[in-house]
Every structure is written in structure tokens, then in C-alpha cells.
Amino acid sequence: MASYYINGGNPLHGEITVSGSKNAALGIIAAACVLDGPCVIENMPHVSDIETQLELCRNLGAKVEVDADGTVHFDATSIYTHEITDERARNIRASYYFLGALLARFGKARNYLPGGCNFGTRPIDLHLKGFNAMGAAANLAHGFITLEADDFHGEHIFLDKVSVGATMNLMIAASKAKGRTTIENAAREPHIVDVANFLNSMGAKIRGAGTDVIRIEGREVLPAGSTYAIIPDQIEAGTYMIAAAATRGDVTVRNLIPKHMEPLSAKMDEIGVHMETGDDWIRVWTEPGQELSATSFRTMAYPGFPTDLQPQAVVLLCTCTGMSKMYEDVWASRFQYVDDLKQMGADITVADRVALIQGPRSLTGAMVQARDLRAGAAMVLAGLAATGMTEVFDIHSLERGYEDLILKLRSIGADIRKSSDVYENAEREL
Ligand code: EPZ
């Protein structure tokens, strides 16, 4: 199993460019499966979750070609089955978007129960309730979900809880269902808007994405034929902004949408981090010797502070002066990585869904695990901020969501290697 080795303690300096949004891309790939013509998707991030999602499409019969620059040529017209039979669907959460897409296309769908990062129970009851209201009966047996509808139609759906996945799945399905669908209490994340914009550019009629009421007029035919570019990844951008502050560096993060970063930049401003914002970039820096102050964070659905930046933000709070609090309101069990941070010298107490972080603490290198994608990113950031050598093991989850992580971090001065690089260097020295 590969590891990252980080020789930390150096401020990061320079410019770094953000890739396309993983979570938008996962939805867009599934949404492309409802189309009645070919399309071109640009700015597709090159990460393993996306490779899996594209492979699942190929197995359904879609024609998928990926250029060297990440542009995807996608043709769903050859999709011939409503059944996902590739076991890799179990490895990624977002494979559940194929339920909505295949239901819209065939009036039936069969898929594995989804997997993904493990931070507590991850139910899909809201997805199923919505599909049920639209006329599809669900059957869960032997690790599979089967959905079947005689008359798949639009409906008025109220989500009892804000859910990114349920909003996206129902929106994709409704784009081709008979009649009008209204989704109330919808999630407003940038990737929801991006999937709606993608579908609209291919002929769908979706209004209100980005607000909590989305209205969709189902279309019998979605002609496609357009080219669409995926938005930059809000969470990748935030990870690098936090890396700059946690190492007391000076980094310009390019190719981001500043509006999407406001939930983070408001908090960074509060603790004393300096920022300058341009059209599609934010420069993040601290003055030499500057102390940052403690504060409280609470994770929430967008436009609240994103849960997917919570572990990275906790690393930054370890370097701030005073007692900070991090409330995790989205996932029941997303503080598992705290034990690893404690091994690096962090002073953190977790009580149910709040972490109390006493700082500043000088972090020191240790051997720590990438327990999930964002916890792994937090370990890398902690390694960059710590003095000495940190080994982050089980890095496969990190490779699911960060394109060229090592190359990008090295370009701003990080001393980071993957274990295979370490062996290569050792061989060269011999
Ligand atoms: C998406 O997961 C993201 N994944 C997650 O990012 C992210 O943490 C999460 O949204 C919240 O922002 C993808 O986009 C692929 P939810 P999702 O449905 O859609 C409860 C990453 O690191 N809920 O918004 O699965 C649920 O238990 C990943 O990139 C129900 O109760 O999240 C949770 O408490 C990890 N019933 C809350 O809603 C349901 O049917 C929010 O979940 C669905 C969800």
C-alpha cells in the first residue's frame, strides 16, 4: 500500500491551479446518460472516482473517449441496459446517480447499494422516497436496489433534510420524467447548479438550481450536442487555501470561483489570515511571525461552511492561539482522524459532534492514516505544517479526489513524495 512522505515545516509559496470539480463531474457523468445525443465535457478532473464513474458508463454501453487534456467525448445513445453489473459501483457513493439517470431513460434501474467514504450511516431514504413519489417502486435485496415504474412522472417533492445527493439524483431523473417536478428544501451547492446548467445546455428545462426550490419540466427528448465545461473544485481550492495559511506561506490559488469560497474566506478573515481576491484567484498569506486567533466553525449545507473542508480547517485551528470549536452538523462521525492529529501533537477533545481545539500546538511528524478523502487531505496539510517527517499511509482514498496532488504541492515548495518515488530515489542512490 502506497504512502506519502512529507518533510514539513516550510511555508508554501507560489501559485497553484485548481482542477474541475469532482462532485460536479460525478453528477454530470451520470446526467450525460439521459441524453439523446453526443456531448463534450471539458475540465474533467483526472481522479480515480471519475475513472470509475466513466467506466460504469462504458459498461452500460455508452461511448466514452477521454483526450489527454481531460476533455470527454460522451455518447449515451448506445446505452442498452438499465442494470449496473460492475462491482466497482460499490466503491463510490456517486454511483447512486445512475439510479436517477437509468430510471429516466428506461423507467427502471438496478444498481449495487452505494459505498464511499465511511463517516457514519449514509442512508439513501430521501432518494428512494422521491423516486417513489414519481411512480417508481423500490426493492432492496442482496446488496442491490431495483427501481421500476410503469409511469415515471413529475411530482411535488419536499426533502425532509437538505441532501446534495438526493437533490441531484431527483433533478437528473426529473429532467426526462413526464410533466413537472418541484423539489423543495433542495441543496444549493455549486455542484447542483453545475449539473443543472449542464442538463439545460443539453436541452433540459431546470429552473431555480442554487435556491431551495428547483422546478423541472420533464422533456421527452434531450437532444444534447453541446460542449460544457465543469466548474472548478470548491473543496480542492479550499484545501490549498488552508494549506497556505497552516504553513504560514503565501500562495495564489488560481482557477477558482471566489463566490464559492466565501464560507471559507469569511472564517479565514476572522482568524487573521490575509487574502486578496481577483476574478478567478485568491492570494492567501500571513505576515512573518503572525499569530492567528481561535474561532468557532459549524459545518452546514451550502452556503454554510462545507463539511468537506472540516478536517483541513481543524489542522489550521491547531496552529491558532486559543480554544477553537468545530461543530460537525452534517455527518455523525467525521472526527475519526483526530486520533492521528493527536499523535502529531494536537490538543483536541471530541465530544459527540463538537471538537475543542487548543492551540497553538507545534505539530511534529508521525505515521498517520488517510482514513477517508478529506481526512487524508488534512493529514497531508498537518504533515506540511509539522516539523520532521510524516508518513501518510492508505493514500488510495486521497487519489479518489485530488488531481496531481503531489505535483501541485511540490510546485509551491512542498517536500512530498509517494512511496514509489522514495524507492526509486533509494535505488538511484544505491
Ligand atoms: C455529498 O454526499 C458529497 N459527495 C460529500 O462529499 C459531502 O460530504 C456531502 O454531499 C455533504 O456536502 C458527493 O457529492 C459525491 P448528502 P451525499 O446527501 O450526497 C443525510 C467528498 O469528500 N441523508 O448531502 O452523500 C446524510 O446522512 C464527499 O467529496 C439522509 O438522511 O451527502 C447526511 O447527514 C464525502 N438521507 C446529510 O443528509 C438521505 O437519503 C447530507 O448528506 C441522504 C442523506
Side-chain angles (χ1 to χ4, degrees), residues 4 79 91 115 122-123 137 227 247 256 261 288 293 345 422 428:
Y4 288 157
I79 291 183
N91 300 337
R122 299 187 70 180
T227 297
T247 62
L256 50 67
M261 305 318 300
S293 32
V422 172
R428 265 201 294 277

PDB file of all heavy atoms in Angstrom, residues 4 79 91 115 122-123 137 227 247 256 261 288 293 345 422 428:
ATOM      1  N   TYR A   4       2.422   8.614   1.399  1.00  0.00           N
ATOM      2  CA  TYR A   4       3.081   9.887   1.094  1.00  0.00           C
ATOM      3  C   TYR A   4       4.061  10.171   2.226  1.00  0.00           C
ATOM      4  O   TYR A   4       3.731   9.960   3.404  1.00  0.00           O
ATOM      5  CB  TYR A   4       2.082  11.049   1.047  1.00  0.00           C
ATOM      6  CG  TYR A   4       1.159  11.071  -0.147  1.00  0.00           C
ATOM      7  CD1 TYR A   4      -0.057  11.744  -0.071  1.00  0.00           C
ATOM      8  CD2 TYR A   4       1.492  10.452  -1.347  1.00  0.00           C
ATOM      9  CE1 TYR A   4      -0.922  11.788  -1.160  1.00  0.00           C
ATOM     10  CE2 TYR A   4       0.636  10.491  -2.435  1.00  0.00           C
ATOM     11  CZ  TYR A   4      -0.576  11.153  -2.337  1.00  0.00           C
ATOM     12  OH  TYR A   4      -1.428  11.191  -3.400  1.00  0.00           O
ATOM     13  N   ILE A  79     -26.361   3.281 -24.975  1.00  0.00           N
ATOM     14  CA  ILE A  79     -26.631   2.611 -23.683  1.00  0.00           C
ATOM     15  C   ILE A  79     -27.783   1.629 -23.901  1.00  0.00           C
ATOM     16  O   ILE A  79     -28.836   2.002 -24.433  1.00  0.00           O
ATOM     17  CB  ILE A  79     -26.980   3.638 -22.584  1.00  0.00           C
ATOM     18  CG1 ILE A  79     -25.731   4.452 -22.235  1.00  0.00           C
ATOM     19  CG2 ILE A  79     -27.524   2.950 -21.336  1.00  0.00           C
ATOM     20  CD1 ILE A  79     -25.913   5.462 -21.122  1.00  0.00           C
ATOM     21  N   ASN A  91     -17.861   0.819  -4.763  1.00  0.00           N
ATOM     22  CA  ASN A  91     -16.766   1.567  -4.145  1.00  0.00           C
ATOM     23  C   ASN A  91     -17.017   3.063  -4.082  1.00  0.00           C
ATOM     24  O   ASN A  91     -16.344   3.778  -3.358  1.00  0.00           O
ATOM     25  CB  ASN A  91     -15.452   1.353  -4.923  1.00  0.00           C
ATOM     26  CG  ASN A  91     -15.072  -0.107  -4.928  1.00  0.00           C
ATOM     27  OD1 ASN A  91     -15.509  -0.855  -4.048  1.00  0.00           O
ATOM     28  ND2 ASN A  91     -14.297  -0.517  -5.913  1.00  0.00           N
ATOM     29  N   GLY A 115     -21.295   2.712  -1.941  1.00  0.00           N
ATOM     30  CA  GLY A 115     -20.276   2.742  -0.878  1.00  0.00           C
ATOM     31  C   GLY A 115     -19.820   4.164  -0.644  1.00  0.00           C
ATOM     32  O   GLY A 115     -20.649   5.052  -0.484  1.00  0.00           O
ATOM     33  N   ARG A 122     -24.888   6.338   6.082  1.00  0.00           N
ATOM     34  CA  ARG A 122     -25.149   7.184   4.913  1.00  0.00           C
ATOM     35  C   ARG A 122     -26.389   6.660   4.190  1.00  0.00           C
ATOM     36  O   ARG A 122     -26.297   5.997   3.162  1.00  0.00           O
ATOM     37  CB  ARG A 122     -23.907   7.237   4.001  1.00  0.00           C
ATOM     38  CG  ARG A 122     -22.708   7.831   4.716  1.00  0.00           C
ATOM     39  CD  ARG A 122     -21.531   8.052   3.795  1.00  0.00           C
ATOM     40  NE  ARG A 122     -21.749   9.111   2.843  1.00  0.00           N
ATOM     41  CZ  ARG A 122     -20.858   9.493   1.924  1.00  0.00           C
ATOM     42  NH1 ARG A 122     -19.689   8.894   1.874  1.00  0.00           N
ATOM     43  NH2 ARG A 122     -21.124  10.461   1.068  1.00  0.00           N
ATOM     44  N   PRO A 123     -27.584   6.968   4.726  1.00  0.00           N
ATOM     45  CA  PRO A 123     -28.818   6.431   4.151  1.00  0.00           C
ATOM     46  C   PRO A 123     -29.134   7.049   2.795  1.00  0.00           C
ATOM     47  O   PRO A 123     -28.597   8.109   2.445  1.00  0.00           O
ATOM     48  CB  PRO A 123     -29.891   6.835   5.175  1.00  0.00           C
ATOM     49  CG  PRO A 123     -29.336   8.019   5.876  1.00  0.00           C
ATOM     50  CD  PRO A 123     -27.844   7.888   5.848  1.00  0.00           C
ATOM     51  N   ALA A 137     -41.332   1.970  -7.868  1.00  0.00           N
ATOM     52  CA  ALA A 137     -41.308   1.104  -6.679  1.00  0.00           C
ATOM     53  C   ALA A 137     -39.875   0.626  -6.487  1.00  0.00           C
ATOM     54  O   ALA A 137     -39.191   0.271  -7.458  1.00  0.00           O
ATOM     55  CB  ALA A 137     -42.239  -0.078  -6.887  1.00  0.00           C
ATOM     56  N   THR A 227     -21.113  21.527 -25.943  1.00  0.00           N
ATOM     57  CA  THR A 227     -19.883  21.362 -25.162  1.00  0.00           C
ATOM     58  C   THR A 227     -20.072  22.092 -23.851  1.00  0.00           C
ATOM     59  O   THR A 227     -20.569  23.219 -23.827  1.00  0.00           O
ATOM     60  CB  THR A 227     -18.688  21.978 -25.931  1.00  0.00           C
ATOM     61  OG1 THR A 227     -18.532  21.240 -27.152  1.00  0.00           O
ATOM     62  CG2 THR A 227     -17.400  21.916 -25.137  1.00  0.00           C
ATOM     63  N   THR A 247       0.652  26.655   6.852  1.00  0.00           N
ATOM     64  CA  THR A 247       2.130  26.639   6.802  1.00  0.00           C
ATOM     65  C   THR A 247       2.695  28.060   6.893  1.00  0.00           C
ATOM     66  O   THR A 247       3.892  28.250   6.741  1.00  0.00           O
ATOM     67  CB  THR A 247       2.638  25.979   5.492  1.00  0.00           C
ATOM     68  OG1 THR A 247       2.188  26.764   4.374  1.00  0.00           O
ATOM     69  CG2 THR A 247       2.156  24.547   5.346  1.00  0.00           C
ATOM     70  N   LEU A 256     -10.408  29.415  -9.521  1.00  0.00           N
ATOM     71  CA  LEU A 256     -11.492  29.125  -8.575  1.00  0.00           C
ATOM     72  C   LEU A 256     -12.595  30.163  -8.791  1.00  0.00           C
ATOM     73  O   LEU A 256     -12.416  31.142  -9.508  1.00  0.00           O
ATOM     74  CB  LEU A 256     -10.988  29.124  -7.122  1.00  0.00           C
ATOM     75  CG  LEU A 256     -10.162  30.295  -6.599  1.00  0.00           C
ATOM     76  CD1 LEU A 256     -10.947  31.579  -6.503  1.00  0.00           C
ATOM     77  CD2 LEU A 256      -9.603  29.953  -5.231  1.00  0.00           C
ATOM     78  N   MET A 261     -15.997  30.386  -2.503  1.00  0.00           N
ATOM     79  CA  MET A 261     -15.040  30.262  -1.402  1.00  0.00           C
ATOM     80  C   MET A 261     -15.438  31.095  -0.195  1.00  0.00           C
ATOM     81  O   MET A 261     -14.772  31.051   0.844  1.00  0.00           O
ATOM     82  CB  MET A 261     -13.629  30.673  -1.879  1.00  0.00           C
ATOM     83  CG  MET A 261     -13.116  29.928  -3.114  1.00  0.00           C
ATOM     84  SD  MET A 261     -13.458  28.156  -3.141  1.00  0.00           S
ATOM     85  CE  MET A 261     -12.608  27.633  -1.664  1.00  0.00           C
ATOM     86  N   PRO A 288       5.192  37.578   8.544  1.00  0.00           N
ATOM     87  CA  PRO A 288       6.170  36.798   9.309  1.00  0.00           C
ATOM     88  C   PRO A 288       5.879  36.886  10.814  1.00  0.00           C
ATOM     89  O   PRO A 288       5.629  37.967  11.338  1.00  0.00           O
ATOM     90  CB  PRO A 288       7.517  37.473   8.971  1.00  0.00           C
ATOM     91  CG  PRO A 288       7.258  38.223   7.704  1.00  0.00           C
ATOM     92  CD  PRO A 288       5.809  38.580   7.666  1.00  0.00           C
ATOM     93  N   SER A 293      -5.875  33.813  15.341  1.00  0.00           N
ATOM     94  CA  SER A 293      -6.687  33.616  16.554  1.00  0.00           C
ATOM     95  C   SER A 293      -7.723  32.512  16.395  1.00  0.00           C
ATOM     96  O   SER A 293      -8.220  32.245  15.291  1.00  0.00           O
ATOM     97  CB  SER A 293      -7.358  34.919  16.964  1.00  0.00           C
ATOM     98  OG  SER A 293      -7.664  35.696  15.861  1.00  0.00           O
ATOM     99  N   GLY A 345       0.797  15.738  17.952  1.00  0.00           N
ATOM    100  CA  GLY A 345       0.946  16.768  18.996  1.00  0.00           C
ATOM    101  C   GLY A 345      -0.258  17.680  19.149  1.00  0.00           C
ATOM    102  O   GLY A 345      -0.214  18.619  19.960  1.00  0.00           O
ATOM    103  N   VAL A 422      10.084   7.275  -3.328  1.00  0.00           N
ATOM    104  CA  VAL A 422      11.128   7.075  -2.318  1.00  0.00           C
ATOM    105  C   VAL A 422      11.981   5.880  -2.705  1.00  0.00           C
ATOM    106  O   VAL A 422      13.203   5.927  -2.686  1.00  0.00           O
ATOM    107  CB  VAL A 422      10.486   6.851  -0.925  1.00  0.00           C
ATOM    108  CG1 VAL A 422      11.538   6.456   0.095  1.00  0.00           C
ATOM    109  CG2 VAL A 422       9.769   8.111  -0.473  1.00  0.00           C
ATOM    110  N   ARG A 428      18.348   4.765  -6.939  1.00  0.00           N
ATOM    111  CA  ARG A 428      19.325   5.605  -7.625  1.00  0.00           C
ATOM    112  C   ARG A 428      20.564   5.814  -6.758  1.00  0.00           C
ATOM    113  O   ARG A 428      21.680   5.773  -7.218  1.00  0.00           O
ATOM    114  CB  ARG A 428      18.699   6.962  -7.968  1.00  0.00           C
ATOM    115  CG  ARG A 428      18.130   6.980  -9.394  1.00  0.00           C
ATOM    116  CD  ARG A 428      17.983   8.402  -9.897  1.00  0.00           C
ATOM    117  NE  ARG A 428      16.974   9.129  -9.140  1.00  0.00           N
ATOM    118  CZ  ARG A 428      15.679   9.053  -9.400  1.00  0.00           C
ATOM    119  NH1 ARG A 428      15.248   8.306 -10.395  1.00  0.00           N
ATOM    120  NH2 ARG A 428      14.808   9.734  -8.681  1.00  0.00           N
TER     121      ARG A 428
END
